[in-house]
Amino acid sequence: MVYLAYRRAIRGKLEGMSYTADFLDFIAASPSSYHAADEVSRQLSAAGFEVQDEGTQWSAAPGGHVMVRGGAVAAWYVPEGADKNSGFRIVGSHTDSPGLVLKPTPDFSAAGWQQVAVEVYGGALLHTWFDRELTVAGQIVTKDGTRHLVNTGPVLRLPSLAIHLYRKDEFKPDRQHNMQPVLSVGDPEASILQVVGEKVGVAKQDIASFNLITADAARGEVFGAGEQFIAAGRMDNLSSVHASLEAMKKAAEEYQGKDILVMMAFDHEEVGSSSRYGAGGPILADVLTRTARALGANEEERFQMFSRSSCVSADAAHSVHPNYVGKHDPTHHPIIGKGPVTKINGNQRYASDATTVALWEAACEKAGVPVQRFVGNNDVPCGSTIGPITATRLGIDTVDVGVPMLSMHSAREMVGERDQVWLAQALEAYLVG
């Protein structure tokens, strides 16, 4: 028995190491929401999913399908025997993360320095963006209408002001004047758009428009005693995008039921979700409605399909911080390394209710995954997710979950290696049923 327990522990460790390596590769390949959506589509296409063009006849043929819209990506798996009496099992997440978005005219100079004009995107922890080498990533569109994905590699830096010149107890950078990265010094011709264009073989003057954001250029790392932690940028919410991607790939190989399995990774969650690519927009409704119609459902039957459906909104959760324990509810202390977190809020900042919590935690139990619960301290406001938006727009039962995290919205966040594996396993169990 001791030997078998040892073998299981070793096998679990090896599986975790493989998963973590894949996860870090995924983060490195996803410096922007556009890259994340493209990487999900690439991996699912390699797994046999057919790419759906929105401008052509919608397919609900048995098998996997994937569609990219901007920085959002949707995938759906239609099993043999699926019809208008089926439901949808949905895992929702988001591809975007806080950062510094390049302004339309990004190049400017100050005191001999060439800098890049940026706008703060989302609720970034501003102090964490200083003294890091930053890549510029996203999409550019050339004058001929061609779209290019670009990732410059380390090209910018936001240098701190020396303490000798500051002498203040608390660092509060001015968002307009203190958050503009440096590109070069003494070179008036230096231009970030020139750098971006050269990366994809496009002349600066041929760039018509762009959506570009900064990201930490450093690769994610495993650290801590026993290598139990992962530090990387953009894990809010690539932690959930990657876990749902892995769950979808495995579920598509083993699912035996009649429900349609859906992976939906939205863009623009960090700025309110109100866009064509966000949870407040039409993308998920479009996927579900067109799939239902392709299966022969009329409007009434589509609503019936929605009533048989459920959604797991997967987004990062707050781990207890050992240096700020008082910020957490004293009776709810989720912590890194103890499993995925069920997120509950009486004021509906999260969509979880008794029915959906029971559904999710049953999936965790089936997968052999430990589960924790989070509720906020009454004196500390909590964030929200795509969960309440999805539930409100579609009327589909929804639960909010995520891996426990420290340093949320930092340029470099922290999660537990085991929690990532467990989240993927629990999502797979939910999809398979």
Side-chain angles (χ1 to χ4, degrees), residues 27-98:
I27 293 173
S30 306
S32 75
S33 60
Y34 303 101
H35 287 83
D38 184 72
E39 181 65 13
V40 168
S41 178
R42 186 192 69 78
Q43 290 198 28
L44 288 177
S45 295
F49 280 56
E50 295 291 330
V51 175
Q52 173 71 56
D53 182 342
E54 288 192 79
T56 63
Q57 185 69 31
W58 197 262
S59 177
H65 310 269
V66 61
M67 177 197 80
V68 172
R69 179 188 289 181
V73 58
W76 57 104
Y77 177 78
V78 183
E80 295 282 354
D83 57 25
K84 61 186 180 182
N85 296 310
S86 300
F88 296 97
R89 299 185 188 184
I90 307 161
V91 178
S93 60
H94 66 88
T95 57
D96 63 318
S97 302

Side-chain angles (χ1 to χ4, degrees), residues 261-299:
L261 312 183
V262 180
M263 173 192 172
M264 181 69 247
F266 299 99
D267 199 356
H268 299 144
E269 190 273 347
E270 298 293 356
V271 291
S273 296
S274 295
S275 74
R276 183 170 178 260
Y277 318 103
I283 184 169
L284 179 56
D286 288 351
V287 169
L288 302 185
T289 298
R290 294 181 76 173
T291 302
R293 286 175 179 167
L295 290 170
N298 59 31
E299 184 178 19

